[in-house]
Structure formats: structure tokens, C-alpha cells
Amino acid sequence: MVDLAIDHVQIAIPVGGEDAARGFYGELLGLTELPKPPEMAGRGGCWFQLGAQQLHVGVDADFRAAKKAHVALATDELAALRHRIEAAGNATKDDSPVDGRYRFFAEDPFGNRIEFMDRVARGI
């Protein structure tokens, strides 16, 4: 069997959406932006460090928001993160816990669905 691991995930944004992506993923969520390799910098978009992996935010000229497909971001501070997201004017929506891990959904500035969940079970 081949040993595989996730290196990065990519979500799409519309052309010209980099500043809004930096505001949401960088400023609001606190992810550190990474420099793109020179051979890819001209394509637009931006990359962020996400634990040991990366989140790539790529420009798509035919952009359509992902309403079902999504990334799930885990944290030890779910309630505080939710408060910060809501305080910034973003709606959140509860969903049922999975394996004792509470979670909610929100949308990025482009309408992409993002799941936020506890890193570990709360023991429910």
C-alpha cells in the first residue's frame, strides 16, 4: 500500500478576491500567509499555513462557491473562535456533534462552506 498524507487543500475564490481572503483566513482566523513560489505567484491567490499542512486559496475565473464540499478546521478554542467569527458579522450554524466533537459551519466571504470543530471530544 502507498503511504499518503495530505500536504494541502485548496479552495477557490473569484478573481480579485485575495484581499478579502487575507482578511478572513489571515486576520479573522489567524492563519499565517506563506509566500507563493515565484513560478506560481503570477496566478493569483494566496497560501496559508494550517498546522503541518497548508490551505491554498486559488483564483478561479469561473468561480462557484462550494456549498457542500468544504474544509473542516479543528481548534481547542471553538467557542472563542465562533464568537470572533460572529462578531465580524458572519453567520454561523450549529450541527450535531461527531464523536463528541462539537462543530458549526460558516461561510467565507465568497460563500464557501467552512466547518469548524473541536480538536478533541468533550466527553458527551
Side-chain angles (χ1 to χ4, degrees):
M1 179 173 295
V2 177
D3 182 23
L4 296 174
I6 292 177
D7 177 80
H8 70 274
V9 295
Q10 180 164 316
I11 59 170
I13 63 171
V15 173
E18 289 90 348
D19 287 343
R22 287 182 178 103
F24 184 81
Y25 293 101
E27 294 171 26
L28 181 61
L29 299 185
L31 301 180
T32 300
E33 186 171 354
L34 300 168
K36 291 182 69 174
E39 62 274 13
M40 301 186 88
R43 298 180 184 181
C46 40
W47 294 3
F48 297 93
Q49 192 66 49
L50 187 60
Q53 289 74 35
Q54 297 177 9
L55 175 66
H56 293 184
V57 180
V59 172
D60 185 345
D62 188 30
F63 172 76
R64 291 185 187 101
K67 297 297 187 180
K68 181 67 175 174
H70 63 277
V71 295
L73 306 178
T75 180
D76 293 322
E77 301 175 31
L78 190 65
L81 179 60
R82 184 176 200 161
H83 176 75
R84 193 163 66 232
I85 290 169
E86 290 175 344
N90 298 289
T92 63
K93 182 181 178 200
D94 283 317
D95 208 326
S96 57
V98 172
D99 295 329
R101 299 165 65 195
Y102 285 92
R103 63 197 182 113
F104 67 89
F105 288 92
E107 292 183 351
D108 73 5
F110 317 102
N112 291 311
R113 182 182 193 202
I114 309 292
E115 182 177 359
F116 299 92
M117 62 191 315
D118 282 322
R119 189 179 314 273
V120 296
R122 294 191 194 187
I124 35 180

